[in-house]
Amino acid sequence: MGFLTAEVVGKFESEQDTSKLLYAPLEQSATFRKSRVYQIKYDGTEEEAQSFVLKSLVDLYADEVSFSGESYFKNFKFYIDYGMKPGALDLEREAIISSQKGFNVSEFKLLSLELSQRIYIFSDPDIGPEPFVRDVCNPAIHVWSVTDSDGRKVA
């Protein structure tokens, strides 16, 4: 049994103003970038797992993928990971699991999959995660965590 983390980022996307994320704009200037993070538990080899990710979860023309487990971007203030609560209907997750059944590698088996959206915030030090968690994450359907630039979970 192996574990693999894949972070997928759009090649043609750039930093955007955080006002697009919030109901009320911040007084300070800040930007953000988004990515998708897949955490996979599998039977088989790491090469088969990476091949599954590249064939099923990545558009090789428009996306870049990192399997390092490290944050894709540097110089961020913090990032928020959010995804569907366990037990909530997650159609994307179900579609990925279904697609694995048609994958032609007999030794690779997807045992579990967690997917989350990641929002990196690039800002001055005095901006906190509270307005982003409040406006981006829905407590009825999402679970989330906030990680600072030192890799510490802060919320």
Side-chain angles (χ1 to χ4, degrees):
M1 177 171 36
F3 298 93
L4 179 70
T5 299
E7 185 170 5
V8 180
V9 177
K11 285 181 188 177
F12 306 113
E13 296 174 12
S14 60
E15 288 185 25
Q16 299 178 49
D17 188 330
T18 56
S19 297
K20 292 182 177 186
L21 298 174
L22 302 173
Y23 294 121
L26 298 172
E27 292 179 13
Q28 307 91 336
S29 175
T31 58
F32 74 95
R33 285 288 307 263
K34 288 185 174 185
S35 69
R36 300 182 316 275
V37 179
Y38 301 94
Q39 295 179 331
I40 299 169
K41 184 164 65 170
Y42 62 90
D43 274 338
T45 67
E46 184 173 352
E47 292 77 24
E48 291 168 331
Q50 288 181 357
S51 177
F52 171 74
V53 168
L54 292 171
K55 289 180 182 176
S56 303
L57 306 176
V58 176
D59 176 345
L60 294 176
Y61 172 74
D63 293 329
E64 294 177 345
V65 64
S66 170
F67 295 109
S68 73
E70 300 285 321
S71 302
Y72 187 86
F73 297 105
K74 306 298 178 218
N75 302 321
F76 58 90
K77 169 85 164 113
F78 58 87
Y79 63 78
I80 301 170
D81 283 330
Y82 69 98
M84 299 298 285
K85 281 186 172 181
L89 179 60
D90 188 342
L91 297 176
E92 181 182 7
R93 181 180 172 279
E94 296 303 318
I96 294 167
I97 291 170
S98 293
S99 75
Q100 188 272 324
K101 294 174 185 169
F103 199 66
N104 292 332
V105 178
S106 60
E107 311 203 355
F108 173 77
K109 181 172 179 162
L110 185 61
L111 300 176
S112 72
L113 171 67
E114 291 181 31
L115 22 71
S116 59
Q117 302 296 317
R118 180 171 286 175
I119 300 174
Y120 289 92
I121 304 296
F122 305 92
S123 71
D124 293 329
D126 56 345
I127 295 177
E130 296 80 15
F132 300 98
V133 170
R134 180 190 65 232
D135 291 354
V136 173
C137 302
N138 181 339
I141 60 171
H142 292 138
V143 293
W144 64 88
S145 66
V146 179
T147 305
D148 70 11
S149 59
D150 294 326
R152 295 179 303 224
K153 298 257 187 219
V154 294

